[in-house]
Amino acid sequence: IEEKRPIICKLSWCSSHKLALTVNGEVFGWGLGQKGCLGLGNIPEATTPLQLTTTVDNSPFIGIKDIASGTSHCLAIGRNDFLYSWGCGLSGRLGHGNEEHYNLPKLVTYPGEQLQFEKIAAGDSHSAGITKNKELHTWGDGSSGKLGHGNFLNEFRPKHVDELNLVKIASVSCGAFHTLCCTQS
């Protein structure tokens, strides 16, 4: 019997770890797993791709639409367009409202209405996402003003970038000291 290999539709990586997203919405991770960035639980490193599981019952982490890898953290958009994150939580880069590290994918929850995302990006120590309403939200390390909130403060949950209120955001990218977005025409 021939084994079916997963078909990869997206790769995301940094210097120490890699993620792969399949056309079936499965996520695989490999590399160095410092502070849980592989999303594989207590596995410190993986030399071959291993499928991520959920925190609920160790079932496969499936139905994923997008992935992003930062230096020591990762993001994913789930089937309901909800945000998941794992890895190093310093400066709030995971969006959970704290600085805890999570070694398995964890749903990012909010007080009030749950945000739905369509695109995400992860930098060295901050994160960004575009909501279904084409609004930009950023969170994590605010040094260098890279979050776009007019200050240098850390944000521990996704926060709307108010300066971009009058435009619709089409894409976003995060670097070590900046965030860049493109608007729709």
Side-chain angles (χ1 to χ4, degrees):
I1 298 175
E2 184 177 320
E3 182 181 334
K4 288 190 176 184
R5 292 185 177 199
I7 299 171
I8 305 299
C9 63
K10 182 174 184 178
L11 292 170
S12 183
W13 64 90
C14 74
S15 60
S16 63
H17 66 277
K18 283 78 177 150
L19 290 180
L21 177 64
T22 71
V23 295
N24 294 328
E26 304 158 313
V27 180
F28 292 83
W30 67 99
L32 188 60
Q34 75 270 15
K35 298 185 174 105
C37 66
L38 285 179
L40 296 168
N42 292 322
I43 297 174
E45 64 182 57
T47 57
T48 60
L50 299 174
Q51 186 173 1
L52 276 65
T53 59
T54 65
T55 56
V56 178
D57 58 4
N58 211 32
S59 61
F61 187 54
I62 57 173
I64 303 306
K65 297 179 176 183
D66 196 11
I67 54 173
S69 296
T71 300
S72 59
H73 73 292
C74 296
L75 308 171
I77 298 174
R79 70 180 78 194
N80 294 325
D81 303 318
F82 294 157
L83 179 66
Y84 291 83
S85 65
W86 60 93
C88 177
L90 292 179
S91 306
R93 69 190 79 182
L94 297 181
H96 295 293
N98 58 44
E99 292 188 285
E100 291 182 39
H101 308 316
Y102 295 93
N103 60 17
L104 290 170
K106 180 174 172 55
L107 178 67
V108 176
T109 58
Y110 312 88
E113 185 180 345
Q114 187 73 13
L115 291 175
Q116 292 182 293
F117 288 90
E118 64 178 32
K119 294 182 182 174
I120 48 177
D124 280 2
S125 58
H126 73 294
S127 304
I130 301 171
T131 64
K132 298 294 271 180
N133 297 331
K134 309 292 186 201
E135 297 173 335
L136 181 65
H137 285 69
T138 59
W139 60 99
D141 177 18
S143 65
S144 304
K146 62 188 159 204
L147 298 182
H149 298 297
N151 59 47
F152 303 102
L153 302 175
N154 296 345
E155 292 295 335
F156 294 87
R157 292 199 183 278
K159 181 178 179 182
H160 180 255
V161 179
D162 292 333
E163 282 296 316
L164 299 173
N165 246 355
L166 301 177
V167 295
K168 302 269 186 209
I169 306 301
S171 63
V172 64
S173 179
C174 295
F177 304 105
H178 70 280
T179 303
L180 177 68
C181 67
C182 294
T183 60
Q184 289 182 337
S185 56

